[in-house]
Amino acid sequence: MLQIYCPYCKQTREEEEFSYAGEAHIKRPSDPQAASDKEWGDYLFFRKNPRGIHHEMWQHSAGCRRYFNVIRNTVTYEVLESYPMGTSPSEQPAHAATISTAGELQ
Amino acid sequence: MEKYSLFKLFNHARTYNENWQRAWRSPVPKSDYDVVIVGGGGHGLATAYYLAKVHGITNVAVVEKGYLGGGNTARNTTIIRSNYLWDEAAQLYELSLKLWEGLSQELNFNVMFSQRGVLNLGHTLQDMRDIQRRVNANRLNGIDGVVLSTAEVQARVPLMNCSPNARYPILGASWQPRGGTARHDAVAWGYARGADALGVDLIQQTEVTGIRRHNGAVVGVETANGFIGARKVACVTAGNSGVMAAMAGLRLPIESRPLQALVSEPLKPCLDTVVMSNAVHGYISQSDKGDLVVGAGVDSYNGYGQRGSFNVIEHTLQAICELFPSFSRVRMNRHWGGIVDTCPDACPIISKTPVEGLFFNCGWGTGGFKATPGSGYVFADTVANDRPHPLAEAFNIDRFYSGALIDEHGAAGVAH
Ligand SMILES: Cc1cc2nc3c(=O)[nH]c(=O)nc-3n(C[C@H](O)[C@H](O)[C@H](O)COP(=O)(O)OP(=O)(O)OC[C@H]3O[C@@H](n4cnc5c(N)ncnc54)[C@H](O)[C@@H]3O)c2cc1C
Ligand SMILES: [Zn+2]
């Protein structure tokens, strides 16, 4: 069970309160009319899908209902940092220490 | 290859079964192959087998980071059926089902293919309309299927709660009599033994760590045990496909997620078919050993940890207990996860890539076990002839740019 920190509610809660919303920081083609099939395909379907550190979006669906970004390790399932939409992650993952306690990683 | 037969069994029994030939060799890799297949799961081994058997290409190595068939091949709930909605998918899975029907003889290895039939339950009016439509489409494609009423479902599965008072009453089902289950390990072992006998080198405990290219064409793979040269490289690595693609500087429309399953303590025979439900989300069958095999849903988020979320398991067992109230007292024995390669349209990618000589067969996601023979068959043909097999053409990666997706979420909704 993941333990996820909501940067708006400022609370760490169980994953069941949240909905996953896919890879973060994907930019929609800035000029949609001019975008090629290749650009649309890449935007819509192709993903990094890394084994390791992943930047992803979650929604606090059973809480404040807002979207935010999370950095998570897809192998250890450690949630390293949460940060609001439109911001960049800090260099030092702020919440890693509180969340990475053993046993919380599943 | 030592042919298995009743006579052989008898003969070996006389010598205390001490002289059976090993099922395959453990060769030292050669420096160079015509084709290197990355991934020794069912699909990779089937590809190797058909490359050698059908196309006469025997200078082939299968490079596996763990042991043969230790990935999703060993972790799935072994449901086999071909009742997919769209022509392209239906034909591919039906080719596979036909190959299953002769596979034990073909491989001289008992894959325990059991055509005990597959039920897909409908719980709402819309479910039933979708089932009607899918069964009609199947029959137009020459695939067996019938729509059953609630009473007919109850007659087939007496233990199931078909009462109108159920939380999600069963209004009917689609029924594919030729569907069923098979023994997962046996499939991998059968193909491995067959491929080995035809000269394919099966190289285990060797992780591929890089794909070496020269002038836009593949020249071999870097492995934990050194470089292996290859004219063609075929990646069949399921949940790890995104990582493989990144080695060649490519991205795929695939996300890797944990899918879980559990088995119970062994019981006396009580369920002689496969029951699946999209709406309450559970699927269940009973293995020949007697344990109930239960499959759960896929996790909502990406992960490579080969374990999943507990709430998903809880949800599935609720669904199973709702369908089979008497199973609520059954104890679960083991539980595990596998990393499945989910694709946006719930269909596989069988494709060449922009890198010359590099091929991918992936994206089977939650439902590729049933496709093992067919996938290997069309992929071997694709690799051997440098062009898609006619049945693989629609599964080209270009569909994510052209928009010609094959949306099988309906038929693959419960994932298998
Ligand atoms: C819980 C669960 C239930 C399922 N139930 C069903 C079902 O009922 N019916 C159905 O049809 N399908 C089902 N599936 C899906 C099915 O298991 C898969 O689609 C299918 O087995 C994929 O086969 P494969 O040979 O491609 O993959 P795998 O068996 O996973 O083989 C891939 C191999 O590649 C190897 N590999 C990966 N990276 C490297 C590397 N870098 N170097 C070397 N080797 C590498 C891995 O070790 C692995 O052995 C289920 C899956 C799961 C997890
Ligand atoms: Zn919140």
Side-chain angles (χ1 to χ4, degrees):
Chain A
M1 183 75 75
L2 302 177
Q3 304 276 313
I4 299 170
Y5 179 82
C6 172
Y8 302 110
C9 299
K10 305 205 180 333
Q11 296 273 326
T12 300
R13 294 295 180 91
E14 291 190 352
E15 88 185 50
E16 279 182 275
E17 278 194 20
F18 301 88
S19 314
Y20 184 66
E23 188 179 316
H25 307 304
I26 296 176
K27 263 181 65 195
R28 188 181 158 86
S30 50
D31 183 357
Q33 298 303 329
S36 65
D37 289 353
K38 173 94 174 50
E39 284 167 297
W40 274 119
D42 281 335
Y43 164 70
L44 285 171
F45 300 121
F46 287 73
R47 296 293 177 259
K48 292 197 188 110
N49 193 22
R51 187 183 191 105
I53 300 299
H54 190 217
H55 294 72
E56 58 197 23
M57 295 183 293
W58 287 80
Q59 187 198 9
H60 195 180
S61 40
C64 64
R65 301 195 57 79
R66 295 172 78 181
Y67 285 87
F68 56 95
N69 300 304
V70 166
I71 306 178
R72 188 175 56 91
N73 185 317
T74 59
V75 180
T76 62
Y77 294 2
E78 247 174 313
V79 178
L80 298 169
E81 184 179 346
S82 302
Y83 52 102
M85 296 311 280
T87 67
S88 314
S90 68
E91 274 149 355
Q92 286 291 314
H95 306 287
T98 49
I99 301 156
S100 67
T101 45
E104 305 279 32
L105 305 182
Q106 300 208 7
Chain B
M1 181 176 86
E2 179 175 17
K3 197 164 159 37
Y4 296 153
S5 65
L6 196 60
F7 173 71
K8 271 280 156 69
L9 202 60
F10 176 73
N11 250 358
H12 278 293
R14 286 191 321 153
T15 53
Y16 303 101
N17 288 312
E18 278 170 356
N19 304 311
W20 286 103
Q21 193 191 76
R22 279 184 180 271
W24 51 81
R25 302 160 293 136
S26 290
V28 180
K30 291 187 244 172
S31 60
D32 204 47
Y33 289 94
D34 289 337
V35 181
V36 163
I37 295 169
V38 186
H43 289 224
L45 293 164
T47 306
Y49 176 79
Y50 292 116
L51 268 177
K53 179 83 196 274
V54 179
H55 304 280
I57 301 174
T58 56
N59 187 21
V60 175
V62 178
V63 182
E64 163 58 50
K65 72 173 171 185
Y67 56 93
L68 298 179
N72 291 345
T73 300
R75 294 163 190 271
N76 76 92
T77 49
T78 76
I79 299 171
I80 295 168
R81 60 188 177 87
S82 64
N83 53 0
Y84 282 67
L85 176 66
W86 300 107
D87 294 353
E88 297 85 351
Q91 281 161 16
L92 182 59
Y93 288 104
E94 178 61 15
L95 166 75
S96 199
L97 184 49
K98 290 209 172 103
L99 289 169
W100 276 112
E101 287 173 328
L103 199 59
S104 292
Q105 285 73 20
E106 163 86 19
L107 297 176
N108 179 233
F109 200 100
N110 186 4
V111 300
M112 296 171 71
F113 180 45
S114 159
Q115 293 180 293
R116 57 186 68 183
V118 173
L119 278 172
N120 292 84
L121 304 179
H123 299 266
T124 64
L125 209 55
Q126 188 58 45
D127 273 359
M128 289 313 295
R129 289 183 184 135
D130 290 342
I131 283 173
Q132 294 272 6
R133 178 183 178 207
R134 184 162 48 75
V135 168
N136 286 336
N138 292 156
R139 295 176 70 139
L140 287 172
N141 272 320
I143 294 167
D144 61 323
V146 276
V147 180
L148 301 184
S149 67
T150 310
E152 288 165 324
V153 172
Q154 182 77 86
R156 275 194 197 285
V157 191
L159 274 185
M160 193 156 61
N161 179 11
C162 294
S163 123
N165 300 325
R167 175 72 181 80
Y168 301 101
I170 295 165
L171 303 187
S174 75
W175 167 245
Q176 186 179 20
R178 285 162 64 239
T181 58
R183 169 111 165 86
H184 44 32
D185 293 333
V187 180
W189 297 338
Y191 275 121
R193 174 168 165 268
D196 175 87
L198 294 167
V200 173
D201 283 355
L202 307 176
I203 298 155
Q204 302 184 63
Q205 307 294 342
T206 303
E207 178 165 1
V208 170
T209 53
I211 297 174
R212 200 186 284 182
R213 288 152 289 153
H214 187 70
N215 290 337
V218 77
V219 292
V221 294
E222 317 284 351
T223 78
N225 302 322
F227 175 76
I228 302 177
R231 258 172 293 291
K232 292 176 183 174
V233 172
C235 294
V236 204
T237 48
N240 213 33
S241 297
V243 177
M244 296 303 304
M247 287 177 198
L250 305 171
R251 281 199 311 167
L252 296 171
I254 280 183
E255 294 194 286
S256 299
R257 298 192 172 169
L259 178 69
Q260 306 173 79
L262 345 72
V263 292
S264 73
E265 57 193 340
L267 308 175
K268 292 210 167 153
C270 59
L271 180 62
D272 63 358
T273 183
V274 180
V275 176
M276 309 172 62
S277 166
N278 272 4
V280 300
H281 210 294
Y283 40 102
I284 185 166
S285 65
Q286 188 175 23
S287 75
D288 292 348
K289 210 164 56 178
D291 29 21
L292 298 174
V293 182
V294 178
V298 66
D299 272 11
S300 66
Y301 51 82
N302 294 11
Y304 287 86
Q306 290 192 328
R307 63 191 167 192
S309 293
F310 189 68
N311 54 313
V312 174
I313 287 293
E314 256 180 330
H315 180 82
T316 294
L317 290 178
Q318 279 164 6
I320 296 298
C321 292
E322 180 69 33
L323 291 174
F324 295 92
S326 56
F327 290 169
S328 64
R329 308 302 295 270
V330 174
R331 281 163 301 190
M332 289 295 153
N333 239 355
R334 290 179 296 120
H335 152 238
W336 64 88
I339 302 306
V340 296
D341 38 345
T342 58
C343 217
D345 59 355
C347 271
I349 295 166
I350 307 170
S351 191
K352 296 171 72 160
T353 65
V355 179
E356 205 186 310
L358 180 65
F359 300 79
F360 268 88
N361 180 356
C362 57
W364 292 95
T366 57
F369 176 72
K370 65 176 78 63
T372 305
S375 159
Y377 192 89
V378 299
F379 194 46
D381 185 88
T382 302
V383 172
N385 298 312
D386 253 317
R387 53 108 190 89
H389 180 280
L391 289 184
E393 221 164 337
F395 298 96
N396 205 291
I397 197 163
D398 291 343
R399 73 179 188 270
F400 296 97
Y401 295 122
S402 70
L405 304 189
I406 307 157
D407 184 2
E408 280 293 356
H409 281 288
V414 76
H416 310 288

